[in-house]
């Protein structure tokens, strides 16, 4: 009988990340280690992307058989989780002179963006839940600590931290795409922007796209000093600042927005599906009733005969 009060067993990758997993009992212990396996996998991913990583490829890079790796890491999913943990690393200690939550968040934002640009494959690692490995928890802890003195509750601090991590992840995806396009074309990222600007000049007309044409004519897309991503991040911080000011002034936290009403077409479609289901059930009941009726008539004839 299972003890329902017992602690659940940790997944292998998480146990390895926290250093509480048992070491393998067999294998080339002195020549092989989980650290060497993860380092080899990261080297492949840095050079060729996450899709190039496989247990067989890592084993070949280390000069061992694939089966020998499974004594240390039980699946590719576990390997990817350990790669993400090692590639992410710990957040840097705050620099001296950082004043207030805004500067601390800027500092962590730049640091995490740097991690994504050094290891672009991290952006391809699936998000399967809240952070549960030591380094990922450390980054979240650093963001929460940056707003530790803010006049909000713990749930709101988590919301602010997730807002920042979402923004840095999105910017990492954009910058990675630019870097990849530039590398494939053998040019720098500014050349990609210059090419897009020339295409806008030629293709965008005031008749079809008046708002975009105004931006083109204003030189928005040809200005090498323009940084719309940085602008957007600062406006995100402005929004956080406005919210914190409102909470400090005593404004209560807003209630979660109600779920929007379903469009009439969706509601009608659900009603149609439910009606069809009821019809199928009624037809089934009718078939069963007729089958029972035929059986009863057959039995009656046999008795009378």
């Amino acid at each position: 009988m299972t003890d329902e009060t017992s602690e659940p067993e940790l997944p292998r990758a998480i146990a390895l990340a926290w250093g509480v997993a048992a070491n393998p009992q067999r294998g080339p212990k002195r020549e092989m280690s989980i650290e060497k396996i993860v380092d080899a996998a990261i080297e492949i991913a840095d050079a060729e992307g996450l899709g190039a990583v496989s247990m067989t490829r890592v084993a070949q890079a280390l000069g061992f058989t694939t089966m020998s790796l499974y004594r240390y890491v039980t699946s590719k999913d576990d390997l990817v989780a350990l790669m993400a943990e090692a590639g992410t690393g710990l957040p840097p200690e705050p620099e001296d002179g950082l004043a207030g939550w805004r500067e601390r968040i800027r500092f962590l934002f730049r640091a995490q963006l740097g991690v994504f640009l050094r290891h672009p494959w991290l952006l391809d690692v699936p998000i399967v839940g809240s952070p549960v490995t030591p380094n990922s928890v450390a980054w979240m802890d650093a963001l929460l600590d940056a707003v530790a003195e803010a006049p909000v509750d713990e749930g709101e601090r988590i919301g602010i931290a997730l807002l920042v991590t979402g923004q840095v992840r999105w910017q990492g995806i954009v910058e990675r795409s630019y870097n990849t396009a530039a590398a494939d074309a053998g040019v720098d990222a500014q050349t990609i922007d210059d090419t897009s600007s020339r295409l806008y000049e030629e293709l965008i007309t005031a008749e079809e796209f008046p708002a975009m044409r105004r931006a083109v004519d204003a030189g928005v897309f040809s200005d090498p000093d323009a940084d719309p991503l940085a602008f957007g991040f600062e406006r995100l911080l402005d929004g956080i600042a406005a919210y914190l000011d409102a909470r400090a002034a005593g404004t209560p936290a807003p209630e979660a927005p109600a779920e929007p009403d379903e469009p009439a077409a969706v509601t009608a479609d659900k009603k149609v599906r439910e009606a069809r289901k009821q019809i199928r059930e009624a037809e089934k009941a009718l078939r069963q009733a007729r089958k029972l009726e035929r059986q009863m008539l057959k039995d009656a004839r046999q008795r009378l005969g």
Side-chain angles (χ1 to χ4, degrees), residues 94-295:
E95 295 176 345
D96 294 335
L98 292 179
W101 65 266
R102 190 162 184 149
E103 288 193 16
R104 292 183 66 183
I105 285 182
R106 280 200 199 101
F107 171 75
L108 290 168
F109 183 94
R110 289 193 296 268
Q112 193 162 33
L113 181 60
V115 170
F116 286 142
L117 296 181
R118 286 193 299 276
H119 302 297
W121 52 269
L122 283 170
L123 295 164
D124 296 322
V125 176
I127 298 174
V128 295
S130 300
V132 289
T133 53
N135 291 346
S136 59
V137 171
W139 280 92
M140 181 63 73
D141 188 75
L143 284 168
L144 293 174
D145 189 60
V147 290
E149 303 301 322
V152 291
D153 61 34
E154 296 303 327
E156 291 167 305
R157 288 190 184 90
I158 289 286
I160 291 171
L162 292 176
L163 184 63
V164 173
T165 56
Q167 180 74 11
V168 71
R169 188 176 185 88
W170 176 78
Q171 184 164 334
I173 291 171
V174 172
E175 294 202 20
R176 179 183 68 172
S177 298
Y178 264 74
N179 293 340
T180 300
D184 290 345
V187 298
D188 58 25
Q190 184 58 48
T191 302
I192 299 293
D193 276 339
D194 292 343
T195 301
S196 298
S197 178
R198 288 194 298 270
L199 290 174
Y200 285 157
E201 287 280 359
E202 295 176 9
L203 301 174
I204 293 179
T205 64
E207 291 75 21
E208 289 184 285
F209 311 104
M212 277 289 287
R213 187 67 225 185
R214 288 195 296 270
V216 170
D217 291 341
V220 171
F221 300 105
S222 58
D223 182 359
D225 297 323
D227 191 345
L229 297 179
F231 176 86
F233 178 58
E234 289 301 317
R235 302 296 72 75
L236 179 145
L237 295 181
D238 287 345
I240 294 173
Y243 183 81
L244 296 182
D245 289 344
R247 297 288 277 122
T251 303
E255 296 181 0
E259 290 293 327
D261 294 335
E262 292 181 333
V266 175
T267 303
D269 186 56
K270 282 187 175 180
K271 289 181 178 179
V272 169
R273 290 198 301 270
E274 181 62 28
R276 287 174 177 168
K277 179 181 177 182
Q278 292 175 356
I279 290 171
R280 289 194 299 271
E281 291 174 349
E283 289 174 340
K284 181 180 178 181
L286 180 60
R287 287 194 299 271
Q288 291 175 338
R290 286 175 174 169
K291 180 180 178 181
L292 179 60
E293 180 186 20
R294 289 194 298 272
Q295 184 63 44

